[in-house]
Amino acid sequence: QVQLVESGGGLVQAGGSLRLSCAASGTILSINAMGWYRQAPGNQRELVATITGGGSTNYADSVKGRFTISRDNAKNTVYLQMNSLKPEDTAVYYCNANIRRYYTNDRDFWGQGTQVTVSS
């Protein structure tokens, strides 16, 4: 079994910062890409940022220059540093990881989500 556990969400004023963390645990051989997605009420889930096993990153246009994704492969953890937060960043943020396990195909796993609320 594999679990992704997120932490770091909360309430912050516009212009503030938050740092999200997501740790993967369980029977893991290796982790390929990891990423963060978000879903606001009434909206579809959307990509925020991804990072490959080699460290290449990709960001949604709406967060470029404000958010930074990083990972610690020794800890199976991905981070999202969010600066200059705006009310429109308010959403539930989900961690995603493409994980290689023993004797089975690689597959995506999701965290349970963490709420980020930015007040104006």
Side-chain angles (χ1 to χ4, degrees), residues 2-120:
V2 172
Q3 274 192 316
L4 300 183
V5 179
E6 298 133 338
S7 61
L11 173 63
V12 65
Q13 287 189 331
S17 298
L18 284 174
R19 188 190 194 212
L20 305 183
S21 300
C22 172
S25 63
T27 307
I28 296 170
L29 182 57
S30 64
I31 302 179
N32 302 316
M34 304 182 82
W36 290 94
Y37 293 73
R38 67 187 181 187
Q39 187 167 18
N43 290 354
Q44 290 187 334
R45 191 173 297 188
E46 63 177 5
L47 180 148
V48 175
T50 60
I51 184 168
T52 67
S56 297
T57 59
N58 179 55
Y59 295 93
D61 287 343
S62 59
V63 306
K64 281 181 181 176
R66 301 187 298 123
F67 291 9
T68 302
I69 189 170
S70 60
R71 62 190 284 172
D72 184 332
N73 291 329
K75 296 181 179 180
N76 289 340
T77 298
V78 63
Y79 306 96
L80 186 68
Q81 178 66 44
M82 304 185 293
N83 299 328
S84 302
L85 282 161
K86 303 176 181 180
E88 51 263 44
D89 294 318
T90 296
V92 177
Y93 284 69
Y94 296 92
C95 170
N96 170 273
N98 186 262
I99 292 177
R100 178 161 294 174
R101 296 172 294 159
Y102 294 94
Y103 313 120
T104 188
N105 296 329
D106 298 357
R107 60 156 283 195
D108 282 348
F109 290 85
W110 291 88
Q112 79 284 358
T114 185
Q115 177 70 46
V116 171
T117 302
V118 184
S119 63
S120 56

